[in-house]
Amino acid sequence: MPEATVATRASEATSGRTVQQVDVAVVGAGFAGLYLLHRLRKAGFATVVLDEANDVGGTWYWNRYPGARCDIQTVDYSYTFDPELESAWTWSEKYATQPEILRYLGFVADRYDLRRDIRFGTRVKEATWDEAAERWLLATDNGANVSCRFYIMATGCLSAPKPPEIAGVGDFRGEVYFTGRWPHQEVNLVGKRVAVIGTGSSGIQAIPLIAEQAAHLTVFQRTPNFALPAHNGPAPSDRVAMLEGNRAGYREQARWSLAGVPWPQQTAVSWQLSDAERRERFEKAWATGDLVCILTQLWADQGVDVDGNALVAQLIREKIRAIVTDPETAAALSPYDHPFGAKRPCLDTNYYATYNRPNVTLVNLRQEPIKAITAFGITTSKRSFDLDVIVFATGFDAMTGAIMAVHPITGRGGKPLSSVWAEGPQTYLGLTVAGFPNLFMITGPGSPSVLSNMIVSIEQHADWVVDRLTAMREAGFTTIEATERAQAGWAQHMADCSTLTLHRLANTWYTGANVPGKAQGVMPYTGGVGPYRAICNEVASRGLLGFKLTGPNVPEQCNDGEIVRLQPDVRLVLNMLADMKLPEIESLGAAGARAFVTMFNAGRPAGRPVGEVVDGTLPGTDGPLRYRLYRPATAGPHPIVVYFHGGGWVLGDEQSDEPFCRDMCRRSGMIFVSVGYRHAPEHRFPTAAEDGYAATRWVAEHAAELGGTPGPVLVAGWSAGANIAAVTCQLARDRGGPPIAGQLLLCPVTDATFDRRSYIDNATGYFLTRPLMYWFWDLYCSPADRTDPRVSPLRGKLEGLPPAFVVTCEFDPLRDEGVAYAEALRVAGVPVEQLKARGHIHTSFTMVDVVITGVAGRARMADALRRFAGLPQDMGKREGAGSDRNASPPEAIAAAE
Ligand code: NAP
């Protein structure tokens, strides 16, 4: 093992108290602290680990209650940094017990001789950044204080028990236990009247075993939770075979997965599966006895869409009813107040069946809240329970509690962390906090942490931190600090991610809702372990983006910026496309490009059902044009939207934007008629424009035949299709009709000018590229024609046009010409609304069911169409099915500027 660069040594501080001088101080000797110590030592940093407990183990040291086990399979819930360690230890069960996990951590501590640098029984009380010395001073309650260059909180996410906040807690004369601080000596519950308050993971694990001992067990439940059978036993042979077949590959797959456990990503969404198929998948997952499996393997929309999620919840409630014999108890145990997975689900052994025992009573606190704990028991609003023992399984001040337990943590300028976090935790990557140089958190708020296999996340964080410290030392830097801008960008990205999943829809410890008075907000990073790892790697590879580094003999380095400005799902799509190394469309020729688009579209979700889809033809200027009509499921007649697909006047057809048309038909409650206008290069300018106008006229004249409302139609389009829609409005005004009630322009082409900022900034890398746009323009329109308003509507007269809703996307070359058109319409007196979609690209809103963050924008588009048609606003929400309820609030899509 290399020598420490700075030997651990003691020195006399001016106060006379001994101060231990180290390079790095780590607080916490659990999974994170032990691995950090091992890595830091190997890297040559003098390190001390401090822990309040009297041995290693962290959460597994304290949580010794009956039934305590891990609920990630132990093949996955293990260190992976050393293959020799992996082969030196064999777990005895699929889910190891707390004593076995504690033995494992003791084994690891011994194997790497870690204990000699751990100060047990030592609590860190305060931490202060000394600006002059550029060191942290940690005040401890036992022995020397610590002076360190780097201070790492490896204090765990669920380690500060939450007070029970029930009146009279101190009055009870019987025995009191907390699951999170269970005594080390044996607790004998035999023959006693026991109460358990709380039905989270801890309560659900403890209740069946307590019921076996107690004379009577009364469970006080405030919120029922979803629990799945663990089916514990030997580690499943298929998982073991997978691991042993290719250990390195298995571990690597876990590192890049969404939850830190290697399961494949599902692509089929719930509405693509039959009832029988869904049930079959569910039964298989139920029998697997694995939380990550059931959370990820049923259907792709279970974690992101309330309707897809409700199907799972329903199937679990069925199971509860089948197990619990008393229907009233079964009903009380059935969760209805939160989506499955939005609150941490539990893994159980005989939990529901325990309520069939004659010595177990469930008290539903929603119907009879606890009034007080008395000297002899618990009194609810309806009755009193005499008790010998109360077990509090009431949970933790999660994510921030253990960090804030060191108080104050005083950073630069004397600022305490408690004031910086008064409105909720602010971090960069969940690893660091602006204003707190050289302070790191392992699995802190803002990182995947509790939404992942903790061991995978711990190793990733510890590796990232130690790698940075090593690189800093080599470069001569002594301080590292996140910038405010990077941190604010991360908060924005966190907020964007949290609109993707359903976690925000439940009051849980994930959001701080379990602690009265705590700031609310989804604290863990919901974007997934693999994407998060990629982001951390990118921060490093882009010159430590968002960090300021200083050192005594080197110039300051600050590469400021935000690491993710794209919406999280857009980023994933772009990364996936980049990995596919697709050809440049413009290199394929028109026929090749069309074949490519057809092939590409074949792989996307087809779109949700609508009332009816009808194909037909309508007379164009020069022969028939195909159209496809999407009719809502509601009773007609409906207003009609004439829709023009995207594709640069060259690609696509009346079916190519099918998912978008279906979605908008459902949301708006209107008929969409998608027109198959003719394309370049076979039919150059102004064919597409004239076809668009002719089609609109014909649809308006035949509205009743099509099942539409007579009167004005609406027009809509995307990209070049939005160009045609805009042009159609101008032609309709100038040629005496048809009347048009409103125009929805999604990423419109409005002007043949290529020097606007967005054409430069977004020239490549965001799907629609500048070279592709050049190619489209060249195929459609000669340079001489490009100022004609029938292709550059921005150059036309804009007065007297129908009201418009103009959507532009931040990372789209066409953004600024769309904004310019909206502004010009406004100046011309046309009522216009703009949606400037932050973090989105040209294809964001038409990638329905792929780019989930596009939902809120489409909901607003549908609202606008309904407004133009004079329909009530709320109907759109009712008809649009569940996704509307999944939509983020309108302000989530804010102006790009
Ligand atoms: P928890 O999930 O927060 O559950 C606490 C329970 O106590 C909830 O049912 C809560 O009801 C109830 N409660 C809290 N205050 C109450 C009050 N004043 N009156 C009545 N009821 C009250 O805590 P936990 O069970 O300790 O689990 C926390 C997390 O630790 C888990 O979600 C899991 O991530 C982890 N954990 C893991 C394992 C494992 O690996 N196997 C085991 C245990 C824990 P409400 O829901 O209404 O607030």
Side-chain angles (χ1 to χ4, degrees):
M1 200 168 291
E3 283 303 301
T5 47
V6 180
T8 308
R9 61 184 189 276
S11 68
E12 286 294 312
T14 44
S15 65
R17 184 161 182 186
T18 308
V19 175
Q20 183 181 8
Q21 304 280 343
V22 288
D23 295 334
V24 187
V26 176
V27 184
F31 267 98
L34 294 182
Y35 179 50
L36 269 169
L37 176 55
H38 172 65
R39 275 233 46 199
L40 285 162
R41 252 200 214 154
K42 272 182 70 167
F45 291 99
T47 303
V48 66
V49 175
L50 303 143
D51 199 306
E52 195 178 349
N54 289 319
D55 201 352
V56 298
T59 196
W60 298 106
Y61 174 89
W62 298 106
N63 285 269
R64 297 163 178 258
Y65 58 86
R69 290 176 184 272
C70 59
D71 58 8
I72 294 284
Q73 293 198 30
T74 27
V75 288
D76 300 301
Y77 197 76
S78 307
Y79 287 120
T80 68
F81 64 87
D82 181 353
E84 285 181 20
L85 169 64
E86 292 205 48
S87 48
W89 181 269
T90 307
W91 294 102
S92 65
E93 289 182 278
K94 177 180 174 189
Y95 296 106
T97 59
Q98 175 268 338
E100 187 175 12
I101 299 172
L102 201 54
R103 275 201 305 281
Y104 172 71
L105 288 170
F107 171 80
V108 171
D110 292 340
R111 185 179 174 90
Y112 301 101
D113 187 22
L114 300 177
R115 281 194 172 86
R116 68 182 157 87
D117 283 326
I118 306 177
R119 285 173 54 188
F120 293 111
T122 305
R123 190 168 66 82
V124 177
K125 295 188 300 181
E126 290 177 27
T128 310
W129 174 246
D130 179 339
E131 302 221 32
E134 294 184 335
R135 293 176 75 83
W136 282 94
L137 181 66
L138 310 186
T140 71
D141 70 346
N142 180 17
N145 288 340
V146 175
S147 166
C148 54
R149 174 77 67 202
F150 300 100
Y151 163 34
I152 307 180
M153 294 292 273
T155 38
C157 300
L158 293 153
S159 37
K162 176 185 88 91
E165 329 104 7
I166 300 173
V169 174
D171 299 340
F172 184 59
R173 293 206 199 132
E175 300 164 52
V176 172
Y177 301 106
F178 288 81
T179 49
R181 286 289 181 275
W182 200 260
H184 285 220
Q185 64 279 15
E186 203 187 325
V187 174
N188 184 4
L189 301 173
V190 175
K192 294 181 181 165
R193 295 164 301 173
V194 182
V196 173
I197 303 178
T199 51
S201 299
S202 306
I204 281 174
Q205 285 184 331
I207 283 164
L209 293 174
I210 294 176
E212 285 175 14
Q213 292 183 41
H216 196 92
L217 169 64
T218 310
V219 177
F220 291 84
Q221 172 195 271
R222 190 163 63 185
T223 311
N225 221 332
F226 291 101
L228 316 159
H231 300 304
N232 203 13
S237 51
D238 56 338
R239 301 299 292 179
V240 173
M242 260 176 82
L243 174 64
E244 287 177 354
N246 177 4
R247 190 172 287 272
Y250 182 96
R251 297 299 188 209
E252 196 59 10
Q253 210 187 321
R255 291 179 188 120
W256 292 97
S257 66
L258 284 180
V261 179
W263 287 96
Q265 216 159 324
Q266 288 304 309
T267 50
V269 284
S270 58
W271 43 268
Q272 290 174 316
L273 302 167
S274 66
D275 282 353
E277 285 169 324
R278 284 197 296 263
R279 191 168 287 274
E280 190 189 332
R281 286 179 178 220
F282 173 75
E283 292 294 348
K284 203 168 148 206
W286 188 264
T288 302
D290 186 297
L291 280 178
V292 182
C293 169
I294 201 155
L295 284 165
T296 61
Q297 298 302 295
L298 297 183
W299 33 90
D301 53 335
Q302 68 182 88
V304 296
D305 178 82
V306 280
D307 289 346
N309 187 278
L311 294 162
V312 193
Q314 188 52 35
L315 289 163
I316 299 176
R317 287 192 291 262
E318 255 181 46
K319 290 283 186 194
I320 299 172
R321 284 196 294 277
I323 300 169
V324 180
T325 46
D326 173 41
E328 203 181 321
T329 307
L333 287 167
S334 299
Y336 279 94
D337 76 325
H338 63 274
F340 170 66
K343 192 176 181 117
R344 174 69 141 74
C346 311
L347 210 57
D348 77 276
T349 301
N350 297 328
Y351 176 63
Y352 292 118
T354 296
Y355 292 94
N356 295 336
R357 294 173 65 104
N359 71 331
V360 176
T361 305
L362 178 70
V363 176
N364 182 350
L365 297 180
R366 297 285 178 208
Q367 288 174 359
E368 48 175 314
I370 295 177
K371 279 175 66 186
I373 296 179
T374 66
F376 305 104
I378 295 178
T379 303
T380 69
S381 60
K382 289 189 181 162
R383 49 193 162 152
S384 288
F385 297 86
D386 287 342
L387 299 165
D388 304 307
V389 180
I390 300 178
V391 174
F392 289 99
T394 41
F396 300 89
D397 181 358
M399 314 276 318
T400 54
I403 296 169
M404 305 296 268
V406 175
H407 182 69
I409 297 176
T410 308
R412 192 185 289 290
K415 254 202 179 159
L417 187 64
S418 52
S419 77
V420 176
W421 282 12
E423 304 299 320
Q426 307 294 318
T427 71
Y428 183 35
L429 305 169
L431 274 161
T432 58
V433 185
F436 294 79
N438 293 7
L439 166 66
F440 293 96
M441 295 163 296
I442 302 300
T443 63
S447 74
S449 57
V450 290
L451 294 179
S452 70
N453 173 359
M454 287 299 284
I455 315 307
V456 167
S457 288
I458 283 170
E459 288 189 337
Q460 185 257 337
H461 262 190
D463 287 341
W464 196 92
V465 171
V466 179
D467 289 348
R468 298 295 78 71
L469 299 195
T470 309
M472 281 174 67
R473 183 179 56 193
E474 277 162 19
F477 292 115
T478 47
T479 76
I480 175 169
E481 183 181 346
T483 68
E484 294 284 352
R485 181 173 165 200
Q487 184 164 289
W490 190 248
Q492 182 63 66
H493 177 57
M494 286 277 296
D496 291 342
C497 286
S498 77
T499 66
L500 272 176
T501 70
L502 303 179
H503 293 99
R504 69 191 188 284
L505 302 182
N507 291 327
T508 66
W509 59 257
Y510 291 143
T511 65
N514 68 326
V515 177
K518 188 166 173 173
Q520 306 261 319
V522 179
M523 290 185 286
Y525 178 75
T526 55
V529 165
Y532 175 80
R533 177 181 292 269
I535 289 167
C536 290
N537 291 352
E538 193 182 323
V539 166
S541 68
R542 288 172 64 187
L544 274 188
L545 185 72
F547 283 104
K548 188 171 94 175
L549 295 102
T550 65
N553 305 312
V554 284
E556 178 180 304
Q557 174 190 311
C558 182
N559 184 14
D560 204 359
E562 298 138 71
I563 183 66
V564 184
R565 292 179 56 210
L566 288 164
Q567 290 293 331
D569 44 2
V570 171
R571 180 179 158 100
L572 287 183
V573 167
L574 286 175
N575 285 347
M576 205 181 67
L577 293 173
D579 287 348
M580 289 163 76
K581 303 210 179 334
L582 299 171
E584 286 160 355
I585 294 176
E586 61 273 25
S587 69
L588 301 173
R594 286 170 191 159
F596 172 81
V597 169
T598 305
M599 185 227 19
F600 192 79
N601 284 348
R604 70 188 173 181
R608 297 187 189 212
V610 293
E612 189 185 23
V613 178
V614 183
D615 288 329
T617 54
L618 56 83
T621 46
D622 192 18
L625 300 176
R626 284 201 307 266
Y627 71 82
R628 176 165 277 198
L629 179 149
Y630 304 88
R631 193 186 312 286
T634 50
H638 306 93
I640 299 183
V641 180
V642 183
Y643 178 78
F644 303 104
H645 64 82
W649 308 283
V650 175
L651 311 172
D653 57 32
E654 74 284 359
Q655 300 176 30
S656 56
D657 292 352
E658 172 121 7
F660 181 75
C661 289
R662 283 174 180 264
D663 190 74
M664 291 301 293
C665 165
R666 287 164 61 91
R667 285 178 189 283
S668 64
M670 298 186 191
I671 292 173
F672 265 62
V673 178
S674 175
V675 176
Y677 57 88
R678 286 170 295 167
H679 292 141
E682 296 86 347
H683 304 281
R684 284 167 63 84
F685 173 82
T687 307
E690 293 297 345
D691 279 358
Y693 172 70
T696 306
R697 173 152 227 144
W698 182 88
V699 171
E701 286 164 359
H702 296 80
E705 283 162 48
L706 296 171
T709 317
V713 292
L714 299 97
V715 294
W718 169 49
S719 192
N723 171 271
I724 296 170
V727 168
T728 295
C729 289
Q730 296 191 11
L731 296 179
R733 177 200 55 199
D734 298 342
R735 295 178 182 176
I740 295 176
Q743 46 181 327
L744 166 64
L745 308 179
L746 171 55
C747 307
V749 182
T750 70
D751 192 17
T753 305
F754 309 106
D755 53 5
R756 290 189 172 87
R757 193 76 239 164
S758 57
Y759 249 102
I760 298 159
D761 290 349
N762 307 320
T764 57
Y766 301 109
F767 201 94
L768 178 67
T769 63
R770 183 166 57 185
L772 181 57
M773 279 309 299
Y774 287 165
W775 185 67
F776 285 147
W777 272 104
D778 286 345
L779 290 189
Y780 183 50
C781 193
S782 67
D785 287 331
R786 289 183 187 181
T787 51
D788 190 312
R790 286 175 300 166
V791 70
S792 289
L794 186 59
R795 316 260 173 144
K797 178 185 156 211
L798 301 181
E799 286 75 13
L801 291 175
F805 191 85
V806 181
V807 183
T808 51
C809 291
E810 185 180 3
F811 294 97
D812 180 359
L814 306 185
R815 179 193 69 204
D816 291 347
E817 64 192 83
V819 171
Y821 196 62
E823 288 303 319
L825 287 173
R826 189 183 57 75
V827 169
V830 176
V832 61
E833 275 177 78
Q834 287 192 64
L835 168 56
K836 295 177 177 176
R838 183 180 47 75
H840 282 289
I841 59 172
H842 189 70
T843 51
S844 281
F845 291 107
T846 49
M847 286 184 156
V848 180
D849 293 310
V850 174
V851 175
I852 311 286
T853 51
V855 167
R858 285 195 304 277
R860 286 186 61 189
M861 294 178 217
D863 282 350
L865 289 174
R866 291 183 68 83
R867 241 186 344 269
F868 295 153
L871 296 179
Q873 290 296 289
D874 59 335
M875 268 180 68
K877 298 222 162 48
R878 282 207 306 278
E879 285 163 9
S883 300
D884 274 337
R885 277 173 279 144
N886 185 27
S888 43
E891 59 273 20
I893 297 208
E897 287 80 21

